[in-house]
Amino acid sequence: MARKVLASERITLPPASEADIRSGQVHDSVLTTMLDLAKNYRIGVSVIRSGHPINVFGTNRPSDHPRGRAFDTWQINGHAVVAPGTSRSLITSYMRAAESLGSYNVGGPYQLSGAAFFSDQTHHDHVHAGFRS
C-alpha cells in the first residue's frame, strides 16, 4: 500500500510525509483510506507523522499523528480547505467520506453531526482523519 500511495498521481505529499510512509511507521488504515479517498478526490496531504506535536494541540492527550494513525488534508481537488471560495459541500463530503472509510476522529472547519466529527480553530484550514488501528 505504501508504494501505491507514493506512486499515486491523485495524492500529493510533502517530503516529510513521503519519508514517514517510506519509514514503515504509517498504519495501514491511513494508507488504505488515502488510496480510497483518492478514487474520488485529488488530495493534498500536509502532515502524517513528522512535524506534528506529540499531544493534541492545547491538551495533554496523545495525538494519533506521531503513532502513524492520522493524516491531515490541506487541499481537495485543487482547492485549499482554508480558501473562502472552496465549496462547503466539497469539504463536508470529504469529511463524511473519511468517516465512512473508518476514521473515528474527523476534524475540519465545519462541525458535522455524528460522534466522529469535531471542529475547532486549529482545524479551520485542513481536514484531520485519525484512526484507532
Side-chain angles (χ1 to χ4, degrees):
M1 281 182 284
R3 281 192 285 268
K4 287 182 180 179
V5 170
L6 293 169
S8 175
E9 294 183 4
R10 297 182 59 83
I11 302 170
T12 304
L13 300 162
S17 293
E18 287 181 11
D20 290 341
I21 292 170
R22 284 192 180 94
S23 76
Q25 295 181 47
V26 176
H27 199 273
D28 285 348
S29 56
V30 168
L31 301 172
T32 300
T33 300
M34 285 196 289
L35 288 167
D36 285 344
L37 287 168
K39 292 174 184 173
N40 297 307
Y41 303 94
R42 285 177 291 108
I43 62 175
V45 172
S46 53
V47 173
I48 298 177
R49 291 182 72 241
S50 299
H52 198 280
I54 299 295
N55 291 330
V56 174
F57 287 100
T59 75
N60 59 1
R61 286 190 338 260
S63 170
D64 289 319
H65 284 280
R67 297 180 296 179
R69 294 184 179 196
F71 70 99
D72 291 342
T73 304
W74 76 274
Q75 187 180 61
I76 306 166
N77 290 347
H79 301 280
V81 170
V82 72
T86 300
S87 149
R88 179 184 179 121
S89 64
L90 175 64
I91 296 167
T92 59
S93 70
Y94 183 85
M95 291 173 70
R96 290 190 192 286
E99 188 266 343
S100 74
L101 291 167
S103 177
Y104 81 101
N105 193 20
V106 181
Y110 305 111
Q111 179 63 55
L112 306 182
S113 61
F117 301 105
F118 71 94
S119 181
D120 58 26
Q121 189 56 35
T122 300
H123 295 84
H124 76 283
D125 63 353
H126 67 277
V127 174
H128 166 89
F131 300 85
R132 288 193 174 98
S133 59

